[in-house]
Amino acid sequence: MAASRLPPAALTLKQFMRRQQVLLLYRKILRAIRQVPSDSDRKYLQDWAREEFKRNKSATEEAAIRMMITQGNVQLKELERTLALAKS
């Protein structure tokens, strides 16, 4: 059998797809935060988002990662709803 040409730390397809989901969620959250009108609130939310993602960076358990993605999407929707209400 031929030796694998991938480095030992290469991600599996499932891990790669989860990583893409996390990065997409992170970008969406930061884009939504840019719409916050108050500078101090925007800075607070940016720091919060960055810290949450950094804190969970080393998570490897699939179920925990899925749960965190779901929670992040719920929080993103809540932020988007709040921003929409503030604009109206």
Side-chain angles (χ1 to χ4, degrees):
M1 185 168 159
S4 175
R5 297 179 72 190
L6 295 174
L11 299 175
T12 65
L13 179 60
K14 186 181 275 188
Q15 290 170 329
F16 178 79
M17 297 298 285
R18 286 283 177 235
R19 183 174 186 275
Q20 295 307 316
Q21 284 181 314
V22 170
L23 292 174
L24 179 63
L25 176 61
Y26 183 68
R27 286 191 298 266
K28 283 181 178 179
I29 289 172
L30 289 182
R31 282 187 199 117
I33 290 172
R34 278 192 228 138
Q35 297 175 15
V36 173
S38 168
D39 287 340
S40 62
D41 290 342
R42 190 178 324 113
K43 175 74 171 127
Y44 171 79
L45 289 171
Q46 285 173 340
D47 291 344
W48 168 80
R50 285 187 181 121
E51 195 57 40
E52 283 296 308
F53 278 83
K54 279 183 187 178
R55 188 166 55 91
N56 294 304
K57 182 180 180 179
S58 61
T60 56
E61 191 175 324
E62 181 70 22
I65 294 170
R66 277 197 321 264
M67 181 194 68
M68 287 185 274
I69 291 171
T70 301
Q71 286 178 336
N73 281 318
V74 168
Q75 291 173 338
L76 173 61
K77 296 285 186 229
E78 183 64 31
L79 176 60
E80 289 171 341
R81 270 189 248 124
T82 303
L83 289 170
L85 285 173
K87 287 182 181 180
S88 59

